[in-house]
Amino acid sequence: MSNLLLFPIIIPLLFATVLMLFPKKVYLQRLLSVIAVVLTFISGLFLLAKVSADGVQAVTLGSWPAPFGISMVSDMFSVLLVLSSTLVTLFILFYSIPTIGIRRERSFYYPAVLFLMVGVNGAFTTGDIFNLFVFVEVLLMASYALIVHGGEKSQMRESIKYVLVNIISSALFVVAVAYLYSVTGTLNMADLAVKIPEIEAVGILTVIAILFLVVFGFKAAIFPLYFWLPGSYFAPPGAVLALFGALLTKVGIYAIMRTYTLFFTMNIGFTHEVLAIIAILTVLAGCVGALAYFDVKKIIIYNIIIAVGVVLFGISQMNVAGTEGAIFYLIHDMLIKAALFLLVGILTIIYGTSDLRKMGGLMKSYPVLGWVFLVTAFGLAGIPPLSGFPGKLLIVQGGFEGTHFWGSIIILATSLLVLLSVMRIFIYAFWGEPKKILPVDKARYYAMFVPTVILVALTIVLGVGAELFMPFIEDAGEVLLNPSLYYDAVLKE
Amino acid sequence: MRTNDVMLQTATKVVTFIILMFAVHIFFAGHYTPGGGFIGGLLTTTAIVLLMLAFDIPTVKKVLPINYVVLTAVGLLFAIATASASIIFDVPFFTHAYDYYDLPLFGETSLHSALLFDIGVYLVVVGVTMTIIQTIGEDE
């Protein structure tokens, strides 16, 4: 089965198309979309087994020889990301069934989610820089549809900003690809990795590398380019917000990690220095936002930005510890951000508002929710047995081994601020005087709560069983640090 | 305030068919000359839009009772099915096949599975553009 690595893209694409045929049959829509994501996950597991047994999998579409056709490449890093994004989508689907509302479900909600998944899985799997652009557009188009879906006033306003920023960054992406193509004459990432070290004009390549950092920085929300994110992510309903928070910026991070380890390695002293400084500034900017707001959604949204900075700092070190830490932290962050957004979504449904000052004393009526939130908050901050710890530990170690020990110190210090920002939610919402809460139907509450708890349990498994996952992470890091493993698999003599 | 559209409507009845024929020609010529599914689909849409301009949307809907969202989905299914057929033969995704056939009337003709993919593109382009035009046109 040479096409196995395409199944995580084809299955959701096929199901999304079929679901477009009967938008009004809500039960069938729910059933088929869950089946699609489960099948995608199973195919991802098969792919994981294949990649860990036989190494990097590559297929060039249309039976063309490698640099001429579009290559799709699945190394351990991309398989892990495909698996975790599929898993997150599955739980968010379960969560959307009781929360998203029948009106949205009847107008192409599930096809949009599946198309988003096509874009995300495609962007993680592609081995062609222009194909990466196309898949990023696929996921952006789906996200435009989801951000405006329902047509409330705030959604309309924020979607204009979101679309505008992303169109500009996509145009920049095309320009950057055009520059790269005119310098190297190829678009295949493996071929780029071979050709770029042979080019002596390092100056122009450095300019292109920084241009790509700007492009993917818009998508990933790094320091000066994150301004669009807090407003845009605030507008859509909880399930969509969780989907965006868990997946969209991660595609930008993945693209930076891939390009900066695979082919933009000709001038590490400059490009990776810039990346490290920007990553630290991103962490600081995110911390300021996370502490400044009294709104549960805003606090978690700014925590996305902090995590972006932490992961990028890890990858900028270009050593084993930093890279493995970045990979582990990226996977942890996908799961934990989805879990946090789902928990915060339940809070806003119980209180009918996301304003922290109108919350209080929930520990009496919803004790289990309180303890689950506390565990998730500890996981986010990186308290030892939980999933945030191993990744951050490796990233900090990478910083001390590299030249940026001050970055590691800042990341350690800001972990406390992260903990403070989420503990504020816990203290205000669960302790103190009970405030007015809306009555929530028991069945509906459990329909929201059960997928969330399972997701939290998975993050605990990821943290406690870190030893089990480390061989996979090491495999993934090895391919990132040795590009020859990647291009040998694609170009095959 | 349309009072008398006889000239426009009569001309439209003739011109629509010419445009449709041209669209089909452009669509089939795409493999060897400029053209293909995308521009063929757009030309088909212009023919339907011309009908909508000369008559009105309810009339055109009665003449062409097509759900354009379903048409888009069917086009996508065509494209996915053509590309996925390669999975059955265990060759890389998107591998196309072609052969020469003796068709009655046409003589020896080369048929290429890329044509099926192009039918998908054609249907999606018609479906999407018509959905856009119809939803904006019907919006009060």
Side-chain angles (χ1 to χ4, degrees):
Chain A
M1 277 309 278
S2 55
N3 289 305
L4 180 63
L5 68 107
L6 289 163
F7 275 56
I9 308 168
I10 301 171
I11 293 170
L13 179 61
L14 183 66
F15 275 85
T17 312
V18 171
L19 288 183
M20 278 171 68
L21 295 172
F22 38 83
K24 306 290 181 219
K25 295 191 173 129
V26 173
Y27 288 101
L28 207 54
Q29 294 261 324
R30 289 173 181 173
L31 181 71
L32 283 181
S33 52
V34 168
I35 290 176
V37 182
V38 169
L39 283 180
T40 312
F41 186 69
I42 293 170
S43 70
L45 286 178
F46 274 109
L47 186 58
L48 179 74
K50 179 100 174 156
V51 171
S52 62
D54 305 346
V56 183
Q57 297 291 306
V59 61
T60 305
L61 301 189
S63 304
W64 298 101
F68 304 112
I70 294 171
S71 297
M72 302 299 272
V73 189
S74 231
D75 60 350
M76 189 51 88
F77 182 35
S78 73
V79 178
L80 290 177
L81 292 182
V82 164
L83 271 179
S84 31
S85 70
T86 310
L87 202 59
V88 163
T89 316
L90 181 64
F91 288 109
I92 292 173
L93 265 186
F94 282 129
Y95 179 85
S96 10
I97 291 169
T99 59
I100 203 75
I102 204 87
R103 193 172 61 91
R104 283 192 170 98
E105 283 182 286
R106 285 162 69 92
S107 46
F108 302 102
Y109 173 75
Y110 295 109
V113 171
L114 290 182
F115 276 123
L116 186 83
M117 215 170 102
V118 174
V120 170
N121 284 353
F124 286 150
T125 315
T126 187
D128 183 286
I129 196 86
F130 195 77
N131 200 235
L132 176 65
F133 169 78
V134 174
F135 274 119
V136 166
E137 285 304 303
V138 169
L139 79 91
L140 284 177
M141 292 284 168
S143 75
Y144 300 156
L146 284 173
I147 202 170
V148 80
H149 204 259
E152 286 158 23
K153 196 177 168 195
S154 66
Q155 282 184 299
M156 295 289 189
R157 186 182 59 233
E158 294 304 331
S159 67
I160 289 179
K161 293 180 199 164
Y162 180 72
V163 172
L164 201 63
V165 164
N166 276 303
I167 284 179
I168 291 171
S169 72
S170 294
L172 267 179
F173 196 166
V174 177
V175 172
V177 170
Y179 275 137
L180 190 62
Y181 185 65
S182 67
V183 173
T184 60
T186 182
L187 292 172
N188 189 301
M189 294 207 223
D191 202 27
L192 280 170
V194 175
K195 290 225 169 97
I196 281 183
E198 295 168 3
I199 293 173
E200 284 166 12
V202 173
I204 186 73
L205 285 171
T206 310
V207 172
I208 295 169
I210 295 297
L211 197 54
F212 269 100
L213 182 62
V214 172
V215 169
F216 296 136
F218 265 115
K219 317 277 187 213
I222 61 172
F223 164 58
L225 309 171
Y226 70 91
F227 54 87
W228 56 272
L229 185 130
S232 304
Y233 279 23
F234 193 73
V240 177
L241 170 62
L243 203 59
F244 283 15
L247 302 182
L248 290 195
T249 52
K250 309 304 180 281
V251 175
I253 300 176
Y254 166 80
I256 294 177
M257 288 174 81
R258 184 62 84 192
T259 51
Y260 270 60
T261 53
L262 188 59
F263 44 83
F264 289 135
T265 48
M266 62 285 149
N267 192 1
I268 286 182
F270 181 75
T271 49
H272 288 59
E273 184 82 25
V274 169
L275 187 60
I277 292 169
I278 285 180
I280 291 302
L281 288 174
T282 311
V283 171
L284 293 176
C287 284
V288 172
L291 293 178
Y293 284 93
F294 261 97
D295 186 294
V296 285
K297 273 159 61 178
K298 274 267 157 63
I299 293 172
I300 311 294
I301 287 172
Y302 275 99
N303 268 299
I304 300 176
I305 299 173
I306 300 174
V308 169
V310 173
V311 174
L312 288 182
F313 179 75
I315 203 67
S316 71
Q317 299 308 308
M318 287 299 269
N319 53 20
V320 178
T323 311
E324 285 173 5
I327 295 165
F328 197 101
Y329 202 80
L330 188 59
I331 292 164
H332 142 79
D333 194 57
M334 275 182 167
L335 298 174
I336 203 110
K337 283 287 142 60
L340 268 176
F341 277 120
L342 297 187
L343 284 169
V344 160
I346 294 175
L347 273 187
T348 52
I349 285 171
I350 289 174
Y351 282 107
T353 171
S354 60
D355 189 346
L356 206 47
R357 275 170 289 218
K358 291 180 185 144
M359 299 182 176
L362 206 59
M363 211 53 175
K364 295 225 169 58
S365 36
Y366 290 94
V368 183
L369 182 67
W371 293 119
V372 170
F373 186 87
L374 188 69
V375 169
T376 322
F378 283 162
L380 180 75
I383 306 279
L386 299 169
S387 63
F389 176 67
K392 216 170 228 178
L393 178 71
L394 285 167
I395 290 175
V396 168
Q397 186 193 341
F400 281 126
E401 283 171 6
T403 48
H404 301 100
F405 68 93
W406 47 270
S408 295
I409 293 168
I410 291 177
I411 284 182
L412 284 176
T414 50
S415 298
L416 294 175
L417 299 182
V418 170
L419 183 62
L420 177 61
S421 71
V422 275
M423 284 315 288
R424 265 171 67 221
I425 300 181
F426 180 73
I427 290 169
Y428 275 86
F430 289 97
W431 286 352
E433 282 296 300
K435 299 264 173 71
K436 188 174 74 68
I437 57 173
L438 303 177
V440 179
D441 183 41
K442 269 274 173 254
R444 181 160 175 256
Y445 172 70
Y446 283 114
M448 294 186 289
F449 188 58
V450 170
T452 316
V453 170
I454 299 173
L455 198 54
V456 173
L458 282 175
T459 68
I460 297 172
V461 171
L462 180 69
V464 175
E467 282 296 315
L468 286 175
F469 298 102
M470 270 327 274
F472 297 113
I473 307 279
E474 276 162 18
D475 270 10
E478 200 184 341
V479 177
L480 283 188
L481 290 171
N482 300 314
S484 64
L485 289 174
Y486 186 96
Y487 58 71
D488 284 348
V490 179
L491 298 173
K492 288 178 209 130
E493 78 254 29
Chain B
M1 289 302 271
R2 265 197 230 107
T3 47
N4 196 344
D5 291 342
V6 177
M7 298 281 265
L8 178 64
Q9 292 185 344
T10 316
T12 300
K13 281 173 194 165
V14 179
V15 170
T16 301
F17 283 103
I18 299 173
I19 300 176
L20 283 177
M21 288 319 291
F22 185 53
V24 171
H25 167 72
I26 283 278
F27 172 73
F28 278 110
H31 204 73
Y32 295 107
T33 56
F38 185 78
I39 192 69
L42 280 184
L43 273 171
T44 311
T45 317
T46 56
I48 303 173
V49 171
L50 184 64
L51 279 179
M52 283 179 170
L53 286 175
F55 300 91
D56 53 2
I57 291 186
T59 319
V60 178
K61 262 191 171 170
K62 216 186 298 165
V63 179
L64 295 168
I66 301 170
N67 183 341
Y68 289 104
V69 177
V70 171
L71 192 72
T72 313
V74 170
L76 269 174
L77 283 179
F78 258 99
I80 298 168
T82 316
S84 308
S86 53
I87 293 175
I88 300 166
F89 300 107
D90 200 25
V91 284
F93 195 65
F94 256 116
T95 305
H96 285 287
Y98 70 96
D99 208 348
Y100 293 92
Y101 295 95
D102 251 335
L103 298 179
L105 226 63
F106 290 103
E108 196 188 18
T109 317
S110 103
L111 289 182
H112 200 297
S113 62
L115 180 74
L116 291 171
F117 186 79
D118 243 17
I119 289 177
V121 176
Y122 176 88
L123 293 178
V124 168
V125 171
V126 174
V128 169
T129 38
M130 287 313 298
T131 310
I132 293 170
I133 290 165
Q134 227 174 44
T135 27
I136 295 176
E138 281 173 347
D139 199 26
E140 288 304 318

